[in-house]
Amino acid sequence: MKLLLGSGGLRSKERQQLYHDEMSSHFAGVNEIVFIPYASANHERYTERIKAFSKPSGVNIRGIESFEDPVQAIEQAEGIYVGGGNTFLLTQELHRNGLIEIVRKRVAEGMPYMGVSAGANVASPTMQTTNDMPIVMPSSFEAFDLIPFQINPHYHDGTIWMKEGDTFHQHFGETRAQRISEFHEQNDVPVMGLWEGAFIRWDGVLATLIGGDGTVFKPGFEPVTYPEGTIFDCGLNPQI
C-alpha cells in the first residue's frame, strides 16, 4: 500500500514546499490522478483550486466530477487524491456514489492514495475522529479503512491564547484531547492527532511521521507526542 496523509495547515512556504515535494514523490511515474472534491459543495471550483495549488508538484489532476461514472473513474485511475473540507459531507458523497469498496480495493492493489484533512480522516476505519460539524447525515460513518488507526487532523494540544488589546489570555476551552477521550469511551482504536503541516506515509506495515509532530492516543494511557521522523507500527507503537 502507498498512502500519503496530511493534516493541512499549509499556509507557510516551507509547508507548501513539503506538500509539493511529497506529492511529486508519492505520484512519481503516474500520468494523471483523480481528485475527489466531495468535501466541498462546489466540485468544479474546488478541483480548479487544488490544481492551481498543486501545480508546482508537476502532478496532473483531473476531478472526478468530470467523469460520467465515478466508480469507473476509480477503476481506471492511476492514483487518487481526496481533498479536505467537511468530513460529514465527504462521507455522505462517498457512500452515495458507491466509492467506499472500489477505493479500498484499488488502494489494496497498490494504487497510491493521498488525502489531506478530511481526505486523511476518511482513510481511517471510520470518520468518527473528525473535527467537523454534522451539516449532513451520511448513511454510515464507515470510511475507507485503509489504515488500522484513526486520524484526527489539525490536532493541537489546546493551549490557545486569545489576544485582547496588547494582552494575551488563555482560552481554557474544550480540547481535542477531551474529544478524543470521549471517542475512546466507546471505541478502542488508537488515534493519531496529526499536527498542522504534518504528514504520515503508510506502506501497509509502518507509518512514518514527516513535517511535524503527532500525538498518539490510546484508551487507558496518557497521550504521547512524537517528533517528525518517528516510525510507528500498525498499533501506533514507536519503533526504536
Side-chain angles (χ1 to χ4, degrees):
M1 299 180 77
K2 189 178 182 182
L3 280 76
L4 178 65
L5 308 173
S7 183
L10 305 172
R11 302 290 175 87
S12 71
K13 290 183 178 179
E14 293 78 13
R15 289 179 177 180
Q16 290 172 15
Q17 186 63 57
L18 177 66
Y19 167 91
H20 293 135
D21 290 346
E22 286 296 318
M23 187 176 186
S24 178
S25 175
H26 189 65
F27 292 115
V30 173
N31 294 314
E32 181 181 79
I33 66 170
V34 174
F35 177 67
I36 299 179
Y38 292 163
S40 176
N42 190 319
H43 298 163
E44 291 183 2
R45 184 169 63 188
Y46 189 13
T47 294
E48 290 305 310
R49 182 163 60 86
I50 288 296
K51 287 171 69 174
F53 183 77
S54 304
K55 188 175 181 180
S57 72
V59 177
N60 294 318
I61 296 173
R62 181 179 175 184
I64 198 169
E65 73 282 356
S66 68
F67 292 85
E68 185 174 338
D69 184 341
V71 172
Q72 189 175 64
I74 300 302
E75 289 175 339
Q76 299 174 351
E78 296 180 67
I80 62 170
Y81 175 5
V82 183
N86 186 277
T87 315
F88 285 90
L89 179 59
L90 171 60
T91 305
Q92 178 195 63
E93 292 302 292
L94 291 173
H95 281 280
R96 189 176 70 83
N97 286 284
L99 296 185
I100 296 295
E101 292 297 334
I102 185 59
V103 168
R104 188 180 295 156
K105 176 178 181 292
R106 292 300 322 282
V107 175
E109 292 171 347
M111 180 182 67
Y113 175 103
M114 180 177 176
V116 174
S117 188
N121 186 216
V122 295
S124 307
T126 75
M127 49 77 69
Q128 290 172 270
T129 48
T130 180
N131 306 305
D132 298 331
M133 288 188 175
I135 61 172
V136 295
M137 186 61 180
S139 59
S140 170
F141 291 151
E142 178 190 5
F144 291 133
D145 196 13
L146 304 175
I147 55 176
F149 50 89
Q150 291 287 134
I151 287 182
N152 174 243
H154 309 293
Y155 179 78
H156 59 79
D157 62 7
T159 53
I160 299 173
W161 293 76
M162 310 291 288
K163 187 176 183 181
E164 297 180 7
D166 295 327
T167 306
F168 286 89
H169 303 278
Q170 194 166 353
H171 180 236
F172 293 117
E174 297 176 343
T175 67
R176 297 282 172 79
Q178 287 174 290
R179 301 287 75 81
I180 294 172
S181 71
E182 292 174 349
F183 171 80
H184 278 148
E185 289 176 0
Q186 307 294 329
N187 305 271
D188 59 5
V189 183
V191 178
M192 170 65 77
L194 201 56
W195 290 67
E196 294 289 53
F199 290 83
I200 286 177
R201 297 192 200 114
W202 172 253
D203 64 6
V205 178
L206 297 173
T208 303
L209 185 63
I210 55 176
D213 294 344
T215 301
V216 173
F217 295 83
K218 297 180 181 181
F221 295 90
E222 289 296 312
V224 180
T225 299
Y226 297 93
E228 65 172 312
T230 305
I231 298 174
F232 303 90
D233 66 11
C234 60
L236 292 182
N237 302 299
Q239 305 299 288
I240 300 174

